[in-house]
Amino acid sequence: MAGIVLLEDEAILRQELAGFLERRGHRVSQAGSLAAFWPLMAAAEVAIIDIMLPDGEGFEAAQRLREASPRAGVILLTARSATADKLQGLYGGADHYLVKPFKLIELAAIIDVLMRRVGIGWRLDMLAHALISPDDLRLELSPSEMTLCALFCAANGAIVSRRQIVEALGYTWRDFDMRRLDTLISRFRQRWSSAHGRPLPIKTEHRVGYSFGARMGKC
């Protein structure tokens, strides 16, 4: 399952594509213009972008997304089949250039191939306050666990120090009992293990802090 941002100005086609992709289990956000695409861009694991838009060209969206998220998958959709357009799209950041009309199953196959490259990491659902594994196991988080996971997500695999965690939780570093932090981590690990029968990939970094031993995706 991928987080897909679909940029297509033809409403009927956009709804058809979104419905198809959602039935295949993807999470789809829709935009009909560049202006509507920019706020959604950060959530794109895969972006499907029409070239001809009411407020510009999809080439710009592809290029800006590639600069912001080098690992994101980018698929350009267009009726323009000229070689020059294809080269502009591919050299401008797109992974694939799909000419309309196309078969939906072809689009699905391209997305599946892209996801093998992009991968889907652990995700933090900020609205539902939940941690989600790459295979969609989910655990609702306490406020303290939510703060901890947000730090891991921002660290992108780096060590998060004990002091960072303590201060993010709203406490004064010098006055905090470190046993409380150890208990928080231990209970979090136990809750995940009890719910899903597998360990939570939080690594203890001796005398330093903690790290998340798996890739965190969109936060």
Side-chain angles (χ1 to χ4, degrees):
M1 182 174 69
I4 295 175
V5 177
L6 173 59
L7 173 54
E8 167 61 60
D9 67 323
E10 296 182 27
I12 294 176
L13 176 58
R14 187 172 68 244
Q15 293 295 335
E16 179 185 3
L17 291 174
F20 171 76
L21 295 169
E22 287 168 351
R23 288 192 296 273
R24 292 185 64 87
H26 300 296
R27 306 179 311 278
V28 182
S29 300
Q30 300 181 41
S33 65
L34 288 173
F37 176 77
W38 304 135
L40 303 175
M41 186 173 68
E45 291 172 326
V46 173
I48 302 171
I49 300 171
D50 185 19
I51 288 181
M52 300 175 68
L53 298 165
D55 54 349
E57 291 192 330
F59 295 127
E60 180 184 357
Q63 183 175 2
R64 285 181 56 174
L65 176 58
R66 176 63 66 227
E67 291 170 352
S69 301
R71 288 182 57 84
V74 181
I75 304 167
L76 290 179
L77 301 181
T78 179
R80 290 158 58 172
S81 59
T83 299
D85 290 323
K86 292 180 181 179
L87 292 176
Q88 182 179 354
L90 293 170
Y91 282 119
D95 295 289
H96 290 272
Y97 191 101
L98 198 54
V99 178
K100 301 175 182 178
F102 56 88
K103 296 186 181 299
L104 293 178
I105 196 65
E106 182 181 3
L107 175 62
I110 290 172
I111 293 171
D112 289 345
V113 169
L114 280 177
M115 290 315 300
R116 290 204 291 267
R117 173 180 68 78
V118 173
I120 300 177
W122 290 67
R123 308 188 304 282
L124 188 58
D125 189 327
M126 304 297 286
L127 295 178
H129 286 204
L131 180 65
I132 307 167
S133 72
D135 53 347
D136 285 325
L137 300 178
R138 174 184 291 262
L139 185 71
E140 293 186 5
L141 305 179
S142 69
S144 296
E145 291 166 348
M146 189 72 183
T147 298
L148 179 65
C149 287
L151 289 172
F152 286 144
C153 194
N156 195 28
I159 296 173
V160 179
S161 71
R162 287 175 170 266
R163 182 165 188 164
Q164 284 178 281
I165 297 171
V166 168
E167 293 180 348
L169 292 172
Y171 297 103
T172 302
W173 166 245
R174 294 184 181 278
D175 299 333
F176 190 78
D177 184 350
M178 285 299 119
R179 290 174 296 183
R180 294 176 61 187
L181 178 56
D182 294 334
T183 298
L184 168 64
I185 299 292
S186 177
R187 287 178 176 172
F188 189 18
R189 286 170 168 156
Q190 186 175 11
R191 288 205 318 117
W192 182 273
S193 179
S194 297
H196 301 302
R198 65 179 69 173
L200 186 66
I202 295 178
K203 299 168 60 178
T204 300
E205 306 289 349
H206 188 55
R207 295 184 179 179
V208 179
Y210 298 90
S211 64
F212 200 82
R215 191 175 75 83
M216 292 285 277
K218 300 297 181 182
C219 302

